[in-house]
Amino acid sequence: MVSRVRVWLNRTYAENVFFMDQLRHNPHARPVDIHATHGDADSPVLAAADTADLEPEGLSPAAYVEYALDQCAKRGIDVFVPRLHQAALAAHREEFAAVGTALLAPPAEAIEVFEDKVTAYEAVQEHGVPVPPWFRVTNADELVAAVDELEDAGHRACFKPAAGAGGVGFRVVTRAPFSLSHLSGFPSPYVQLDMVVEAVRAAEEPVDWMVMPRLEQPEVSVDCLTGPDGRVRMAVGRTKNGRRRGFSQNPAWIEPARRIAERFGLHYLTNIQFRMYGDEPVLMDVNTRPAGGLHQLALCGINAPWAAVRLALGEETGDVVPTRLGEDYTVVSGTRPVRGVSLPQQVAEVAVVPEPVAPEPVEARPLAVGPAAGCKPAADRPLAV
């Protein structure tokens, strides 16, 4: 009998419902059970999982490690795919192995290199990977000086947190004064330099930003699968230019991504992003976790989540290469269910009224508790992701 594999994803992105789908529909027809935890009760990954829990809030990284070890032991987890507190969890890999759980994550030392973008840029430059010019700023004067230097060189300046993921905090600097034109249409990433400077000066603590030129498209995200032996089994580029998406095996993107994955020991699934600086591809970011768009590789004939789980289980996958590159495509939102929401116990309010002189017999009826007439229960309403 083929053994069942138990996989846990913690506080992951909504798009990883597709990661879960691919595990279940693996080419070896291996039965897979998925456990998911999250801080948001309405995360679609909880509804997509076979078992799910809400995570406790406010745990320190060390306390979260203890929580995770307990989860793995109680639920018999074979493979744990951590996102939250990834580095802290990876530092305890042997303890997870002792309870029978393999961590699908790079070593803690590799994760820590790429948690800080400045440290990451400095490190990859030493291995010949091109990066754009950048400035680390902590106050308003440093910010203005960096923007001035980039604009004098003909670039549009942007900034983002030195530590962060998913494009959170990314802004493009403009010197155009704030006006009604900025309030028409949809919100944009553009912010007025004078407003940013005023906010930084008024802040009680220093900022920690990277200021750099805004890089041009195409953006290429190279999804890599690297074994614990340090050898890359898969490196496929996903290209993005506006709405248009596609795939690439161009060495200009693939070779530097392979170099980073191998030299820094980025085991299992990682995502390495590039953009154009003039005519040269340069590194934009390194994510030491599976990308949200990883499932798109299915259009190339690749089930990357399953290949990674096999490596984590000690099975050899061989080289994982596209069977086709396929046509260009675009991405649209869809719907996924959320878990049912049970209403708290309802207690009918009892009004005090005078006793009627001649009470009529009344038929007893149960109190109906539920959604308003004409409304579906929350569990039946789809959630767009």
Side-chain angles (χ1 to χ4, degrees), residues 40 53 55 99 103 126 332:
D40 178 3
D53 284 325
E55 292 188 356
V99 299
L103 283 186
E126 294 179 2
V332 295

Side-chain angles (χ1 to χ4, degrees), residues 77-384:
I77 301 298
D78 298 302
V79 179
F80 178 20
V81 187
R83 188 199 68 81
L84 182 67
H85 296 313
Q86 188 190 49
L89 293 163
H92 294 266
R93 188 180 304 272
E94 293 183 0
E95 293 173 48
F96 283 96
V99 299
T101 301
L103 283 186
L104 202 153
E109 299 80 9
I111 297 170
E112 289 166 357
V113 169
F114 295 100
E115 285 182 330
D116 182 280
K117 293 178 173 59
V118 170
T119 302
Y121 276 23
E122 291 172 342
V124 300
Q125 273 188 300
E126 294 179 2
H127 293 282
V129 176
V131 299
W134 82 92
F135 305 84
R136 188 170 207 157
V137 305
T138 60
N139 58 51
D141 292 338
E142 293 174 350
L143 171 66
V144 172
V147 172
D148 285 344
E149 186 165 338
L150 288 171
E151 290 182 343
D152 289 345
H155 302 297
R156 182 179 289 278
C158 62
F159 63 87
K160 57 186 176 181
V168 174
F170 172 80
R171 299 292 187 272
V172 182
V173 174
T174 177
R175 292 183 187 265
F178 186 78
S179 67
L180 284 176
S181 65
H182 295 99
L183 299 177
S184 62
F186 293 102
S188 82
Y190 288 87
V191 292
Q192 285 65 38
L193 178 60
D194 57 344
M195 297 176 69
V196 178
V197 168
E198 181 180 351
V200 172
R201 293 195 193 282
E204 296 181 357
E205 298 180 355
V207 297
D208 187 13
W209 291 345
M210 278 185 73
V211 181
M212 55 195 296
R214 184 176 188 184
L215 303 175
E216 300 302 322
Q217 293 184 326
E219 179 179 318
V220 180
S221 293
V222 181
D223 294 308
C224 293
L225 174 63
T226 307
D229 58 359
R231 186 172 72 81
V232 175
R233 270 57 164 194
M234 179 194 80
V236 181
R238 290 183 287 112
T239 64
K240 180 167 68 173
N241 200 335
R243 286 184 181 272
R244 183 171 292 271
R245 305 286 194 274
F247 301 101
S248 174
Q249 290 286 266
N250 188 329
W253 319 105
I254 302 301
E255 290 309 314
R258 294 179 70 97
R259 194 180 316 153
I260 291 170
E262 290 173 351
R263 302 284 175 84
F264 293 94
L266 296 180
H267 302 164
Y268 302 111
L269 289 169
T270 55
N271 177 257
I272 303 171
Q273 300 174 347
F274 301 87
R275 274 198 174 219
M276 299 299 294
Y277 176 61
D279 297 327
E280 181 183 31
V282 294
L283 179 70
M284 184 170 69
D285 208 352
V286 175
N287 297 306
T288 60
R289 53 168 175 75
L294 181 69
H295 63 279
Q296 295 165 23
L297 294 185
L299 297 174
C300 296
I302 293 176
N303 186 329
W306 178 243
V309 165
R310 288 188 64 204
L311 280 179
L313 292 172
E315 303 172 11
E316 182 50 63
T317 63
D319 290 336
V320 180
V321 297
T323 59
R324 59 190 182 276
L325 289 184
E327 299 179 354
D328 287 357
Y329 62 100
T330 192
V331 176
V332 295
S333 62
T335 60
R336 299 287 296 209
V338 294
R339 301 182 77 194
V341 178
S342 58
L343 291 174
Q345 181 65 38
Q346 305 292 304
V347 179
E349 293 185 4
V350 180
V352 179
V353 295
E355 183 177 344
V357 175
E360 297 280 342
V362 180
E363 179 185 359
R365 296 181 181 178
L367 176 67
V369 178
C375 294
K376 290 185 178 181
D380 295 334
R381 291 200 293 270
L383 173 69

